[in-house]
Structure formats: C-alpha cells, structure tokens
Amino acid sequence: MATETARRNTPSTSKGRATRDRIVATAADLMYRHGAAGTSTPALRDAAGVSSSQIYHYFADKDELTRAVITFQTEAILANQAPMLARLDSLDALRAWRDVVVDAARQRGGDGGCPLGSLSSELSDHNPQARDALAASFTAWGTAIREGLLSLFAQGAPRPQADADRLALALLAAVQGGLLLAQAQHTTDALEAALDTVIAHIDD
C-alpha cells in the first residue's frame, strides 16, 4: 500500500507533476471555500480542468487527496511566514509578523478563517489520519514560531529566560482562536487582542 501511494504521489513526468499540483491546488481552494465534505469529485474535475480518471490516478480516495491538501496548505503558510519568523531579532520584527497575520485576515473580512483550522474543525473528530496530518502541520507551524522566538531571545531581549515552547504555543493558539472569531464576527478585533496580549507578555 505504501509503495502504491508513493507511486501515485510521485509523477514521473513534468506534465504529470503539473497535473497533480493543479488538482491539489484546486482542491485546496474548493475545500477552503466549501469544506472537505462540500468538495465533490465533479466540482474538482470541472474546476481543475481534468478528468475523474486523472484524479483517481493520483489519489486513491478523497482522504488521500485531503491529506495532500493539508500538506499544500501547510507549505503555503510556512512559505509565507517562516522567512519572517526566521528573522525575528527584535520586538518590532515580532510585531511585523503579527501585522502580516492580521492584515491577511482583514483583507478577507475574516472570511474563511484559517485553512488548517477549518479542516481541523471539520475532520479531526472522525478522520484519524487527517487529524494526525493536521497535528503535524500545527506542530511545524509552532516550531517555526518557536525558532523565531529563540532567535529573538538570543539577542538578550526582552526575556532570554522565557519559555519559548509555551510562548510559541500561545501565539499559535492566539492565531487560531483569533481567526475563528474573525470568521464569525467579520472583524479582526479578537485576533489583534489575542496576539497583542501574548506579545505584551513577551515584552513584560
């Protein structure tokens, strides 16, 4: 089974890789807007401009496709945020990262929430494989935040003795909770308050 999965997920040609990437990117967009349950094979087929047989050539079932979407969304988030987090050398840099997170949510009016958070709410209780994939994604995100904080604390300010692990979890939780409330309330007030409170604690 593992060998067959690896074969499907590693196209041998550039055209095959482009087709698979298009399927995953389109599925990610549809699942972000409509949820995993609301994303059907016909809708994906039409939106991606592929055949159903092409979808099933690369993905044995919807669960496998969903895990590919989780990987896609995780890589997109880290590609957007990790470079900033890797350069945290001051509180101003940490606040600049906070502004990127808030501005992205504000531009959407809160719509959609977090692509990983939304999938987690939908899938975690009844899809163990998706839950494990999402847990790994949140761990990777939290690790990027933690490494950024360690870079900040290495400068000797503001609190070199601070617990980077717990503060990274607090910032990640602030992002997730804040984006959930932004989705419900169509305002980033809660997201800003949560992030600002954690950052103020770091600056204490």
Side-chain angles (χ1 to χ4, degrees), residues 15-16 18-24 26 41-56 58-59:
K15 182 178 179 181
T19 299
R20 183 186 183 278
D21 290 347
R22 186 167 73 255
I23 291 169
V24 174
T26 304
T41 298
L44 174 58
R45 177 195 65 208
D46 294 344
V50 297
S51 65
S52 296
S53 63
Q54 285 177 298
I55 295 173
Y56 290 118
Y58 295 112
F59 304 99

Side-chain angles (χ1 to χ4, degrees), residues 5 8 11-12 16 18 67 79 81 112 121-122 137 152 166 179:
T5 298
R8 281 194 305 271
S12 59
R67 292 194 297 276
Q81 296 191 14
S121 295
E122 181 181 3
S137 295
L152 175 62
R166 289 182 62 82
L179 288 174

Side-chain angles (χ1 to χ4, degrees), residues 84-107:
M84 292 193 69
L85 290 168
R87 296 193 298 270
L88 288 188
D89 57 4
S90 67
L91 282 169
D92 285 343
L94 181 59
R95 293 187 182 102
W97 167 76
R98 170 263 192 211
D99 291 344
V100 167
V101 174
V102 171
D103 288 345
R106 185 180 291 126
Q107 288 173 13

Side-chain angles (χ1 to χ4, degrees), residues 1 3 11 20 32 41-42 53 71 79 83-84 101 105 112 121 124 142 158 161 173 180 183 187-188 190 195 203-204:
M1 180 65 70
T3 300
R20 183 186 183 278
Y32 182 54
T41 298
S53 63
T71 298
M84 292 193 69
V101 174
S121 295
S124 290
Q161 78 285 0
L180 178 63
Q183 185 178 15
T187 172
T188 59
L195 286 171
D203 192 26
D204 187 8

Side-chain angles (χ1 to χ4, degrees), residues 36-171:
T39 298
S40 66
T41 298
L44 174 58
R45 177 195 65 208
D46 294 344
V50 297
S51 65
S52 296
S53 63
Q54 285 177 298
I55 295 173
Y56 290 118
H57 174 73
Y58 295 112
F59 304 99
D61 52 31
K62 191 172 184 178
D63 284 346
E64 190 175 304
L65 173 61
T66 300
R67 292 194 297 276
V69 166
I70 292 169
T71 298
F72 174 89
Q73 295 288 25
T74 304
E75 291 174 349
I77 289 169
L78 292 179
N80 177 258
Q81 296 191 14
M84 292 193 69
L85 290 168
R87 296 193 298 270
L88 288 188
D89 57 4
S90 67
L91 282 169
D92 285 343
L94 181 59
R95 293 187 182 102
W97 167 76
R98 170 263 192 211
D99 291 344
V100 167
V101 174
V102 171
D103 288 345
R106 185 180 291 126
Q107 288 173 13
R108 299 191 305 270
D111 287 347
C114 170
L116 293 178
S118 297
L119 285 172
S120 183
S121 295
E122 181 181 3
L123 301 172
S124 290
D125 286 345
H126 59 82
N127 189 325
Q129 290 182 316
R131 181 177 64 242
D132 289 346
L134 286 159
S137 295
F138 285 123
T139 296
W141 194 349
T143 297
I145 297 173
R146 174 184 176 275
E147 290 175 353
L149 291 177
L150 288 174
S151 297
L152 175 62
F153 298 156
Q155 307 301 316
R159 300 170 62 195
Q161 78 285 0
D163 188 335
D165 290 328
R166 289 182 62 82
L167 287 171
L169 284 175
L171 284 169

